[in-house]
Amino acid sequence: MFDMDIGIDLGTANVLVYVKGMGVVINQPSVVAFEKDTKKLIAIGTKAKKMIGRVPENIDVIRPLKQGVISDYTVTERMLKAFIKQAMSRKATLRRPKVCICVPSGVTEVERRAVEDAAYRTGARSVLIMEEPVAAAIGANVDIIQPCGNMVVDIGGGTTDIAVISLGGLVVNRSLKVAGDDYNEAMIKYIRRKYNLLIGEPTAEEIKIEIGSVYPRPSDDYMEVKGRNLLNGLPDRIQVSANETIEAFSEVTAQILNAILGVLEICPPELAADISQRGIVLSGGGSMIYGMEQLIEAKTGIQAMVVEQALEAVALGAGKSVEFMHKLKKDS
Ligand SMILES: Nc1ncnc2c1ncn2[C@@H]1O[C@H](COP(=O)(O)OP(=O)(O)OP(=O)(O)O)[C@@H](O)[C@H]1O
Ligand SMILES: [Mg+2]
């Protein structure tokens, strides 16, 4: 009988499921739509995300995770169950899966337990909980087993995890409840304040991905943005520049930068020396905002690089870890 080992990145913005031998088979937004009265599930993932801001009153579209942790337990469980079922349907097996699931490094014991329980209730045979930055490092092929300091900054949707890892474990870490989604919020506020234009979250995210920057571009870029004019209530459009997004994002960016500088300050000197030599590894969707590497480099004096698969690194790391655990068990 085939074994089913899966790694899950249960993120605020996206859920990724990695199946041993198959790679990442599910990569969907952490969004669920259901009927308010009957609680009947209507859509999940991409389909549900497209419904945000566009549903009638009797339908609720929610993100069951906020700032990296479960805020709606029942809905999270339903979402996990649906994704695990989808992932399992791709492989012929009757055995219950062994699961490695990632959480931000700053979660409390209660929050950790909640994730573990949710995974067990979806039918997992065994559950390993792993810190997101450790998984991101493994997923990005950073050799974390050596007695050498590695700094990983995972900027997700709801949390930024900053960790110094050596000998396979966290030496210093900080989890900040500020990340990619806060850039969307900042954009909405900025456009409302400056242009009296109300935009929705999907539009704000589009601006962020298309022209959003935290560091000046070689030449300024522009984008047309549509929304509702708050003065006359009518649809309206404006031009937003990349340089304006730097201004809009400045507070969120400063919080992330200060947290990185704070971790470097309390990092033991030997490990700090390793980091300055090896550089800072960036992962998570939030690290893909234009200029994040350059900004961190400019403010810390240490080279920073976004990993190749910034959105998948955590799931890949979780998946690799289940395979590894499995091997250890077989060998022992
Ligand atoms: N190309 C891009 N440029 C800028 N931001 C992006 C890009 N692609 C995705 N993002 C942002 O990355 C964030 C999602 O990243 P990710 O999938 O790593 O988060 P998550 O793991 O779900 O969240 P968390 O780890 O906080 O629970 C969202 O805020 C999204 O808008
Ligand atoms: Mg994440």
Side-chain angles (χ1 to χ4, degrees):
M1 191 176 311
F2 293 114
D3 244 324
M4 181 88 177
D5 291 346
I6 62 186
I8 302 176
D9 175 7
L10 181 63
T12 306
N14 301 297
V15 179
L16 280 79
V17 182
Y18 172 104
V19 175
K20 180 186 162 189
M22 297 180 81
V24 174
V25 296
I26 307 257
N27 183 350
Q28 296 267 334
S30 332
V31 186
V32 181
F34 56 88
E35 250 176 38
K36 266 187 192 159
D37 308 337
T38 61
K39 303 282 175 219
K40 194 178 138 215
L41 208 104
I42 292 177
I44 201 160
T46 309
K47 218 170 143 196
K49 190 176 177 185
K50 282 198 184 130
M51 295 178 175
I52 293 178
R54 297 193 171 96
V55 288
E57 263 199 0
N58 62 331
I59 294 176
D60 245 347
V61 183
I62 71 159
R63 293 170 178 271
L65 290 117
K66 293 221 163 65
Q67 300 179 322
V69 294
I70 297 180
S71 78
D72 189 320
Y73 194 87
T74 326
V75 178
T76 300
E77 208 177 295
R78 286 178 79 177
M79 182 176 77
L80 252 186
K81 231 181 211 158
F83 285 143
I84 291 179
K85 201 171 149 199
Q86 271 181 40
M88 288 186 68
S89 68
R90 318 228 170 163
K91 198 164 176 176
T93 178
L94 292 172
R95 289 184 73 159
R96 289 186 296 148
K98 275 192 287 175
V99 173
C100 174
I101 188 160
C102 295
V103 294
S105 62
V107 299
T108 62
E109 201 42 50
V110 174
E111 288 164 344
R112 211 182 161 95
R113 192 74 54 76
V115 175
E116 197 174 350
D117 285 351
Y120 272 118
R121 283 157 60 139
T122 59
R125 175 156 45 115
S126 68
V127 179
L128 170 79
I129 303 286
M130 190 173 214
E131 279 97 359
E132 271 193 271
V134 177
I138 296 172
N141 293 320
V142 177
D143 186 0
I144 56 165
I145 303 300
Q146 302 302 320
C148 184
N150 292 286
M151 186 177 217
V152 179
V153 179
D154 181 82
I155 310 175
T159 54
T160 295
D161 266 301
I162 304 156
V164 177
I165 307 167
S166 178
L167 287 167
L170 294 177
V171 181
V172 189
N173 71 286
R174 179 140 185 236
S175 191
L176 193 71
K177 292 187 185 303
V178 171
D181 292 351
D182 295 274
Y183 281 106
N184 303 350
E185 280 300 314
M187 185 55 65
I188 295 172
K189 274 195 200 142
Y190 180 85
I191 294 200
R192 189 172 51 209
R193 209 168 42 224
K194 185 161 177 185
Y195 295 104
N196 277 314
L197 189 79
L198 187 65
I199 57 165
E201 217 213 327
T203 304
E205 188 179 34
E206 228 176 278
I207 303 171
K208 176 180 72 178
I209 292 176
E210 216 159 287
I211 59 160
S213 316
V214 292
Y215 197 79
R217 293 181 184 240
S219 64
D220 207 3
D221 227 339
Y222 294 86
M223 180 178 162
E224 187 181 86
V225 174
K226 292 178 194 145
R228 180 158 55 87
N229 186 316
L230 286 167
L231 300 178
N232 59 18
L234 296 172
D236 203 355
R237 57 183 71 189
I238 53 157
Q239 287 271 336
V240 176
S241 75
N243 277 335
E244 283 180 288
T245 69
I246 300 181
E247 195 186 327
F249 292 161
S250 61
E251 260 178 51
V252 177
T253 307
Q255 288 188 59
I256 295 176
L257 260 180
N258 285 337
I260 296 174
L261 291 168
V263 169
L264 282 170
E265 259 170 38
I266 55 166
C267 183
E270 292 304 321
L271 298 180
D274 294 339
I275 294 165
S276 74
Q277 204 191 345
R278 295 166 73 100
I280 299 173
V281 173
L282 305 178
S283 66
S287 71
M288 291 159 77
I289 298 183
Y290 180 89
M292 198 56 92
E293 288 170 332
Q294 293 95 314
L295 181 79
I296 293 174
E297 252 174 67
K299 298 290 178 188
T300 62
I302 302 171
Q303 200 193 350
M305 59 238 144
V306 177
V307 302
E308 226 169 76
Q309 289 159 302
L311 285 161
E312 297 192 346
V314 170
L316 290 174
K320 277 191 195 170
S321 308
V322 228
E323 290 189 27
F324 182 63
M325 276 180 6
H326 186 62
K327 269 202 198 111
L328 277 184
K329 263 198 163 167
K330 260 193 190 159
D331 294 346
S332 61

